[in-house]
Amino acid sequence: MSLIVQKYGGTSVASVAHIESVADKVARFRARGHDIVVVVSAMAGETNRLAALAHEVMAQPTPREMDVLLAAGEQVTIALLCMALERRGHGARSFTGGQIRILTDDSHTRARIREVDCSRVRDQLGQGNVVVVAGFQGVTEQGSITTLGRGGSDTTAVALAAALAADECQIYTDVKGVYTTDPRIVDGARLLHHVTFEEMLELASLGAKVLQIRAVEFAGKYKVPLRVLSTFEEGPGTLITLEEQEMEKPTIAGVAFERNEAKLTVKGVPDQPGIAYKVIGPVSEQGIEVDVIVQNAAADGSNDISFTVKRDDAERSLRILEQVAPSLPAQSVHLDTKIAKVSLVGVGMRSHAGIASRMFQALARENINIQIITTSEIKISVVIEEKYMELAVRSLHGAFDLQNHENGQ
Ligand code: ADP
Ligand code: ASP
Ligand code: MG
């Protein structure tokens, strides 16, 4: 008998009818003799609805209260799913994150899991019950409710699977697994049967929201067998694997994209040591995450520095830069919210030259201007104008022939 942790995302529990079919699915696994821990998200749209209510009351809702509010979404789903299981004759018990002590730090709205206490879960499994846990939430040492950031139910599931040493962690969602790119953007996106942790980590951090990045980090660190698969269609989905297990890999695993960034540019600062620090320092000291950075020195001894931040942090970053501008001194400060980042990811880049130039050629063919380029060992990212994002993703997918590769399987 094996222990499986299953996570069902928002669209998989979007209505009572959906919850009923999740209950049928869980019941089938029970019937095969598996112990099951289910993690569920809030019903589709619910987290957004709750967040919008908060913003009606307060422009910048208090993070602590925001967490109390948002965590309520998942609490609805656990209760309904347990009822549906009980009606089918299965013992089932629901728990909030706090009840099973998913202990987190106190960074409200983006808390990190520190520890998971499995004793109540094990106890319930021992009694033959299905355990249903509210995703996306935890509790601090002091007893305050926290949430784990958008998409955080994935991380709850992986953390539970790690703590319980589960045989597999299955992330059920509304697509058949991890694709070469978002199948909603590119018709020819191909389902990957395997993807390495390393690649998945890059894809998730560069915008592929099919898995929350922390879930992938956790799974890699604790070697949790992790699979992404469809709630609605049968199939093996995508297994996230260690690289060593891979046979021959294609050069590129996939294309990721991110709209949720903004670009700030500080123009005409002096070209001298310490200037990048004087520009970026005050922004990151306010807890704002700075992503890609580029600096251009002009012949006249002045510099332009551009960098990107999350779109939610854009206005705040602009205000910080406007404050420090006179002391730099800077000629001007600009904010551009209409940008997007498109990235190519693949472990095969390590051993293949010429990927970057092929990428730039594909974008040039579409007349797409590249504003910023960054690379690391297994990824190349470009920042472009937002309106060209989908075109860029499609043309890169085509240029690297991602729809046709056999992916070494
Ligand atoms: P859930 O509510 O189940 O957590 P999400 O909406 O968070 O689902 O994640 C699934 C979505 O991720 C898909 O519907 C798809 O649009 C998107 N997505 C983005 N990139 C990829 C990718 N490379 N492979 C699969 N899905 C992707
Ligand atoms: N309900 C939360 C969200 O929408 C968590 C999740 O679904 O993973 O982000
Ligand atoms: Mg999700």
Side-chain angles (χ1 to χ4, degrees):
M1 184 150 89
S2 65
L3 169 60
I4 304 176
V5 176
Q6 300 186 329
K7 177 256 171 178
Y8 294 90
T11 40
S12 309
V13 293
S15 65
V16 167
H18 284 83
I19 293 174
E20 297 278 5
S21 55
V22 166
D24 285 335
K25 207 169 169 86
V26 173
R28 285 198 292 277
F29 276 93
R30 273 305 282 151
R32 283 182 232 148
H34 299 293
D35 277 340
I36 307 287
V37 175
V38 184
V39 174
V40 282
S41 289
M43 295 165 78
E46 185 61 9
T47 310
N48 288 345
R49 188 185 73 86
L50 294 171
L53 289 178
H55 287 106
E56 272 183 44
V57 179
M58 225 178 165
Q60 302 250 304
T62 329
R64 183 186 184 281
E65 300 315 322
M66 191 67 169
D67 276 352
V68 174
L69 179 69
L70 294 188
E74 270 69 10
Q75 194 168 334
V76 171
T77 327
I78 54 172
L80 293 175
L81 180 58
C82 279
M83 291 173 197
L85 285 165
E86 279 169 353
R87 220 199 61 224
R88 284 163 176 74
H90 291 279
R93 286 285 181 283
S94 68
F95 294 97
T96 63
Q99 282 175 314
I100 53 166
R101 274 185 78 71
I102 295 185
L103 201 67
T104 71
D105 63 16
D106 57 7
S107 349
H108 284 286
T109 74
R110 52 192 165 102
R112 280 179 180 269
I113 297 177
R114 283 196 176 145
E115 214 179 286
V116 179
D117 177 359
C118 291
S119 51
R120 280 184 93 173
V121 177
R122 283 195 197 285
D123 193 44
Q124 289 298 327
L125 291 173
Q127 292 177 44
N129 289 325
V130 175
V131 178
V132 181
V133 179
F136 173 59
Q137 54 183 264
V139 66
T140 65
E141 204 83 67
Q142 289 74 34
S144 298
I145 295 173
T146 50
T147 63
L148 309 177
R150 300 306 303 264
S153 299
D154 298 334
T155 305
T156 306
V158 175
L160 272 167
L164 291 160
D167 295 281
E168 189 162 282
C169 181
Q170 302 175 337
I171 306 288
Y172 286 94
T173 184
D174 55 4
V175 289
K176 286 198 271 184
V178 180
Y179 285 70
T180 46
T181 192
D182 190 337
R184 295 182 200 289
I185 300 285
V186 179
D187 278 344
R190 189 172 40 81
L191 178 66
L192 299 166
H193 294 292
H194 299 109
V195 63
T196 68
F197 275 109
E198 231 184 333
E199 286 167 332
M200 196 61 235
L201 212 54
E202 290 285 3
L203 287 170
S205 73
L206 295 168
K209 69 168 184 166
V210 62
L211 280 175
Q212 199 197 33
I213 179 164
R214 283 185 193 158
V216 187
E217 280 168 2
F218 241 104
K221 187 164 166 196
Y222 297 101
K223 305 222 166 6
V224 176
L226 182 61
R227 195 183 284 280
V228 179
L229 56 187
S230 165
T231 307
F232 309 108
E233 287 173 77
E234 290 298 318
T238 305
L239 187 66
I240 323 293
T241 59
L242 296 169
E243 196 169 349
E244 294 78 56
Q245 296 168 355
E246 286 291 286
M247 316 219 298
E248 204 187 315
K249 289 282 299 171
T251 318
I252 304 298
V255 185
F257 52 86
E258 178 73 82
R259 292 174 213 269
N260 193 23
E261 291 197 10
K263 185 179 76 169
L264 290 127
T265 304
V266 182
K267 284 203 164 150
V269 291
D271 186 14
Q272 64 193 33
I275 193 68
Y277 173 65
K278 282 189 194 151
V279 171
I280 307 291
V283 176
S284 43
E285 271 156 31
Q286 292 304 309
I288 295 172
E289 210 180 303
V290 173
D291 189 18
V292 289
I293 306 174
V294 68
Q295 178 178 316
N296 297 312
D300 66 358
S302 76
N303 247 344
D304 293 347
I305 298 177
S306 296
F307 59 93
T308 64
V309 296
K310 292 259 173 300
R311 223 170 262 187
D312 283 350
D313 293 327
E315 290 292 335
R316 202 152 60 97
S317 306
L318 180 65
R319 282 196 296 276
I320 296 169
L321 292 178
E322 281 169 348
Q323 258 170 23
V324 298
S327 68
L328 296 169
Q331 270 164 19
S332 56
V333 177
H334 304 267
L335 168 63
D336 182 356
T337 53
K338 299 209 163 23
I339 57 138
K341 187 170 70 178
V342 176
S343 310
L344 271 185
V345 173
V347 290
M349 277 188 205
R350 286 194 184 114
S351 47
H352 285 77
I355 302 293
S357 67
R358 228 165 117 192
M359 179 181 192
F360 304 153
Q361 184 189 34
L363 297 172
R365 238 186 268 130
E366 300 293 349
N367 232 347
I368 298 173
N369 187 42
I370 302 173
Q371 302 179 12
I372 306 182
I373 302 167
T374 54
T375 65
S376 77
E377 222 188 355
I378 66 161
K379 71 124 204 274
I380 306 170
S381 300
V382 294
V383 172
I384 58 171
E385 211 179 322
E386 187 186 13
K387 67 178 179 198
Y388 297 123
M389 190 193 80
E390 293 193 8
L391 177 63
V393 173
R394 275 193 211 103
S395 70
L396 293 175
H397 199 269
F400 287 88
D401 211 16
L402 297 183
Q403 62 280 16
N404 292 324
H405 274 163
E406 278 307 303
N407 198 30
Q409 286 142 39

